[in-house]
Amino acid sequence: MPELPEVETIKNSLKTCLKGQTIKSCEVSLPKLVSPDDFAEKIKGQSINDLKRRGKVLLIFLRNWVLLVHFKLTGQLIYLENPLSPPPYTHIEFSLEKGKLYYADLRQFGRLVLWPVKELDECPLLKKLGPEPFELNIDTFFRLLNKSSRKIKTFLLDQEKITGLGNIYVDESLFRAGVHPERPANSLSFEEAQRLLKTIKEILNEAINLGGSSVRNYVDGHGESGRFQEKHLVYGRRGKPCPKCQKPLAYAHIAGRGTTFCPYCQK
DNA sequence: CCGAAACCCTGTGAGC
DNA sequence: TGCTCACAGGGTTTCG
């Protein structure tokens, strides 16, 4: 599922080929995925000026609109210069000057929102997002942690506290930093918070460098898989030996998410 | 304030 | 082998 490193990879993979192109037309076959209702008419004729990312949201800057894409679990944006047929589960098709851009989504959880550039900050997809992990310094992070008595896993998944982390990178970060997922956020010492934030940034960077994690159906804008899933130490490895102590990895439901961790190595 | 659960979806894989 | 069914999960909403 596209978390920060995956969306960053999608953005980078699409930027060169989309920038400067004009959207000639757009066909929506699953209207619930888009807003507003006249999405297709509004986007027609718009030129693509730039691509950015905020948290897990991809922003495609058009002439006077921004197309915001939230991929949720199984959304994909695929650009084909010489399309023969749409990718499976395609629900939206953008015809460009050169080639086509497809939005495919197996579970139909994703959303595409067209929003006026001038009022971008007001868009519900962005409005309540917390700081980007890379722009977060330890003093701010520690202060945020201290204000919350929720479990650290719940805290890290909360996009209003820090944006971009999902289930994979939270589990991986907590394991590498040696922090138990059920620890109250405000119980972490300054040193633990320092280690955790450093670990989060390291893991996100490594994942971006490897093109993200391809679990489920994640691929970049050219249909290429990522390779960071090969580096996962705990995610998807419940019951298997802990990479550090060899005891079986434990599993629990925290914040409604499956959580894999080592009860011996994570304190 | 906090947490738990339902909801939106459908492919996958475990179990019978 | 073939079927059924719980499970997976990001974000939102509702309820306790």
Side-chain angles (χ1 to χ4, degrees), chain A residues 63-221:
Chain A
R63 194 174 57 245
N64 39 9
W65 299 93
V66 182
L67 171 58
L68 299 105
V69 184
H70 200 309
F71 298 94
K72 296 285 181 80
L73 303 181
T74 53
Q76 302 174 322
L77 262 186
I78 311 237
Y79 175 70
L80 296 177
E81 207 169 297
N82 302 297
L84 297 171
S85 58
Y89 310 105
T90 290
H91 303 301
I92 300 157
E93 188 176 312
F94 302 93
S95 295
L96 309 179
E97 294 163 278
K98 198 168 147 194
K100 290 191 174 188
L101 180 67
Y102 297 95
Y103 180 76
D105 196 338
L106 189 153
R107 290 189 199 167
Q108 308 172 14
F109 282 3
R111 291 294 179 265
L112 285 79
V113 175
L114 210 47
W115 200 266
V117 181
K118 287 182 199 162
E119 302 158 32
L120 189 56
D121 294 342
E122 300 305 309
C123 179
L125 282 178
L126 304 178
K127 204 174 175 179
K128 293 160 93 179
L129 295 183
E132 290 284 324
F134 294 125
E135 287 164 20
L136 189 54
N137 65 50
I138 180 57
D139 295 320
T140 312
F141 186 55
F142 190 56
R143 204 177 334 117
L144 285 171
L145 286 174
N146 267 310
K147 282 195 289 188
S148 173
S149 58
R150 306 165 86 185
K151 293 170 182 170
I152 184 65
K153 164 132 186 180
T154 309
F155 178 95
L156 294 176
L157 283 174
D158 185 347
Q159 302 300 302
E160 296 184 30
K161 302 286 189 296
I162 171 172
T163 186
L165 299 175
N167 209 29
I168 296 174
Y169 295 104
V170 167
D171 277 11
E172 291 298 317
S173 299
L174 288 172
F175 175 77
R176 276 211 212 172
V179 177
H180 195 290
E182 298 190 285
R183 283 273 300 282
N186 59 12
S187 77
L188 270 70
S189 68
F190 186 79
E191 286 70 27
E192 286 175 317
Q194 222 166 9
R195 194 168 72 229
L196 179 57
L197 183 59
K198 188 167 168 270
T199 305
I200 288 170
K201 293 181 184 180
E202 277 171 8
I203 288 187
L204 293 177
N205 265 321
E206 285 174 36
I208 291 168
N209 289 334
L210 289 178
S213 301
S214 284
V215 296
R216 305 279 181 280
N217 66 343
Y218 164 74
V219 288
D220 74 6

Side-chain angles (χ1 to χ4, degrees), chain A residues 5-69:
Chain A
E6 289 76 29
V7 180
E8 182 70 16
T9 304
I10 294 169
K11 183 202 75 184
N12 292 337
S13 67
L14 289 175
K15 203 166 189 167
T16 326
C17 42
L18 294 191
K19 253 177 106 165
Q21 291 219 53
T22 296
I23 299 170
K24 292 196 299 185
S25 64
C26 169
E27 259 183 66
V28 178
S29 53
L30 193 57
K32 70 168 182 181
L33 299 188
V34 306
S35 73
D37 289 342
D38 55 352
F39 178 94
E41 290 109 85
K42 280 206 166 75
I43 208 165
K44 191 179 174 176
Q46 293 273 321
S47 53
I48 299 171
N49 294 332
D50 204 5
L51 275 72
K52 292 185 180 177
R53 179 195 58 74
R54 174 85 172 94
K56 305 176 191 176
V57 179
L58 176 70
L59 297 92
I60 302 179
F61 284 79
L62 308 171
R63 194 174 57 245
N64 39 9
W65 299 93
V66 182
L67 171 58
L68 299 105
V69 184

Side-chain angles (χ1 to χ4, degrees), chain A residues 153 167 171 174 181 238 250-255 257-261:
Chain A
K153 164 132 186 180
N167 209 29
D171 277 11
L174 288 172
R238 76 157 121 170
Y251 184 84
H253 263 268
I254 301 171
R257 305 281 175 260
T259 304
T260 310
F261 64 102

